[in-house]
């Protein structure tokens, strides 16, 4: 069985742009080696937005050297990037963007959600790229909820949406550069599941909704996440309430990390090169839409 190294609570929320009140649950700035190949996870909401004449969100900003994975639980987002990717993603949909050598993008509440208002909840995960792929061509995967396999858990304990990796002989639709599992687990109240997890991999458990017992002693509540040890191949989860848990596992990338705002590379020289390439226009162009001013992300992190 895998052991739980620690259970961590989220800090107070902060705003990214004017559309995303987020808690940064974990970041490579504090725990780079422990969470590799993952870099950062923001949980936005749940928050209710009133109808608005103008979309809220985050304006044009760059990324290089990693991937962003956005999973929508409630609400609807519209995305555009300088590589020609984009579209609207709603509840259950996933947006997997490879920044690679450099990309500009923006994310706002969709037009329909802006007009109607409602509840917004999503997570955005940053996934590191190994050195050999950090300057890969930018790419965009729009993964619809209908294309994500939904697998029943043993003893009717709940279900698992297989976004990336494999489970029970099935494979998820996301294309990844390293071995990664991304599972959207829904466990019914009072039920128990023993998850098969690969030895040698990082394993993280993010509680989106509910309360559960991990292993024999560790309780995981909303706005908390847990880190498991790399040894062992199983973890028992017992749901105290109906639970929505994001399960992440992946092969660690044993390389140095240098990060600054929207860039995550291996050396400071590569960070400086990223700024030069951005300023010289090598990230492409994203023609501004007529959104009001003031939507940019202040620190270059988050969406």
């Amino acid at each position: 069985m895998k052991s739980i190294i620690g259970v961590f609570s989220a800090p107070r929320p902060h705003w990214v742009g004017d559309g995303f009140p987020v808690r940064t649950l974990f970041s490579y700035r504090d725990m780079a080696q422990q969470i590799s190949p993952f870099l950062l996870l923001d949980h936005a909401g749940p928050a209710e937005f009133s109808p608005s004449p103008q979309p809220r969100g985050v304006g044009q900003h760059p990324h290089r050297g990693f991937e962003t994975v956005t999973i929508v639980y409630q609400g609807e987002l519209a995305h555009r990037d300088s590589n020609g990717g984009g579209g609207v993603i709603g509840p259950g949909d996933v947006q997997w963007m490879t920044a690679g050598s450099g990309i500009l993008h923006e994310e706002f509440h969709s037009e329909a959600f802006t007009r109607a208002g409602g509840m917004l909840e999503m997570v955005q995960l940053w996934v590191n790229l190994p050195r050999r792929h950090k300057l890969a061509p930018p790419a965009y995967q729009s993964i619809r909820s209908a294309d994500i396999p939904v697998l029943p858990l043993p003893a009717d304990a709940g279900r698992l949406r297989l976004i990336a990796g494999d489970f029970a002989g099935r494979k998820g639709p996301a294309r990844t550069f390293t071995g990664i599992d991304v599972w959207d687990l829904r466990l019914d109240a009072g039920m128990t599941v023993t998850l098969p997890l690969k030895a040698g991999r990082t394993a993280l458990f993010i509680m989106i909704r509910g309360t559960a017992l991990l292993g024999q002693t560790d309780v995981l509540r909303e706005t908390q996440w847990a880190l498991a040890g790399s040894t062992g191949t199983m973890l028992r989860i017992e749901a105290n309430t109906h639970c929505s848990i994001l399960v992440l596992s992946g092969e660690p990338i044993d390389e140095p990390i240098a990060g600054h705002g929207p860039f995550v590379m291996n050396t400071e020289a590569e960070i400086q090169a990223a700024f030069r390439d951005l300023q010289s226009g090598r990230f492409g162009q994203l023609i501004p839409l007529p959104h009001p001013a003031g939507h940019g992300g202040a620190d270059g992190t988050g969406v």
Side-chain angles (χ1 to χ4, degrees):
M1 287 287 182
K2 280 190 175 290
S3 61
I4 299 298
I5 295 175
V7 174
F8 307 90
S9 297
R12 294 175 62 86
H14 63 278
W15 282 89
V16 175
D18 65 357
F20 306 102
V22 309
R23 289 181 171 89
T24 300
L25 272 68
F26 57 77
S27 169
Y28 70 93
R29 294 178 179 85
D30 306 315
M31 306 181 71
Q33 291 184 338
Q34 296 95 321
I35 64 175
S36 180
F38 309 108
L39 293 169
L40 176 149
L41 186 133
D42 280 344
H43 181 191
E48 186 165 5
F49 288 87
S50 59
S52 172
Q54 296 288 347
R56 305 174 178 95
V58 180
Q60 181 179 143
H61 59 285
H63 290 300
R64 172 180 273 189
F66 61 98
E67 301 184 286
T68 67
V69 180
T70 305
I71 304 170
V72 176
Y73 293 97
Q74 303 180 74
E76 198 172 70
L77 303 179
H79 164 93
R80 294 193 313 137
D81 66 51
S82 57
N83 194 49
V88 174
I89 58 172
D93 296 340
V94 176
Q95 168 188 286
W96 199 297
M97 186 183 76
T98 302
S101 61
I103 200 167
L104 303 173
H105 83 137
E106 66 176 25
E107 286 186 310
F108 286 88
H109 299 174
S110 72
E111 290 187 12
F113 184 81
T114 297
R115 289 195 305 269
M119 294 296 294
L120 177 73
E121 184 175 20
M122 52 169 270
V123 298
Q124 186 173 94
L125 171 70
W126 288 15
V127 180
N128 202 8
L129 288 170
R131 188 193 306 270
R132 66 185 182 277
H133 294 307
K134 278 197 174 289
L135 297 182
Y140 180 80
Q141 301 175 65
S142 179
I143 305 172
R144 297 299 179 186
S145 180
D147 298 325
I148 298 172
V150 180
L151 308 179
L153 297 174
D156 294 324
R159 61 189 179 90
L160 182 149
R161 293 201 321 140
L162 179 54
I163 296 169
D166 57 85
F167 184 86
R170 298 284 300 276
K171 290 190 176 296
R175 302 183 302 275
T176 68
F177 284 86
T178 58
I180 294 172
D181 291 323
V182 179
W183 301 339
D184 179 9
L185 178 68
R186 309 297 170 92
L187 193 58
D188 294 333
M191 302 302 290
T192 299
V193 65
T194 299
L195 292 179
L197 298 162
K198 298 178 179 68
R201 284 193 176 191
T202 299
L204 312 177
F205 305 85
I206 296 91
M207 182 62 76
I208 304 299
R209 191 84 64 245
T211 304
L213 181 67
L214 305 186
Q216 300 296 322
T217 59
D218 294 284
V219 177
L220 187 64
R221 298 180 174 89
E222 288 181 24
T223 73
Q224 292 184 326
W225 67 282
L227 172 65
S230 60
T231 59
T233 58
M234 297 285 184
L235 183 70
R236 180 180 182 272
I237 303 178
E238 179 182 346
N240 301 118
T241 64
H242 177 80
C243 291
S244 172
I245 306 173
L246 182 62
V247 180
L248 308 174
S249 68
E251 299 172 3
I253 299 173
D254 187 18
E255 296 174 356
I257 293 178
H260 186 97
F263 307 136
V264 182
M265 303 299 290
N266 297 115
T267 67
E268 288 299 326
E270 291 170 337
I271 295 294
Q272 295 306 313
F275 278 106
R276 290 195 298 271
D277 288 347
L278 173 65
Q279 293 165 359
S280 65
R282 293 183 182 177
F283 283 35
Q285 290 187 335
L286 188 61
I287 299 174
L289 292 176
H291 296 314
H295 287 294
D299 60 2
T301 62
V303 296

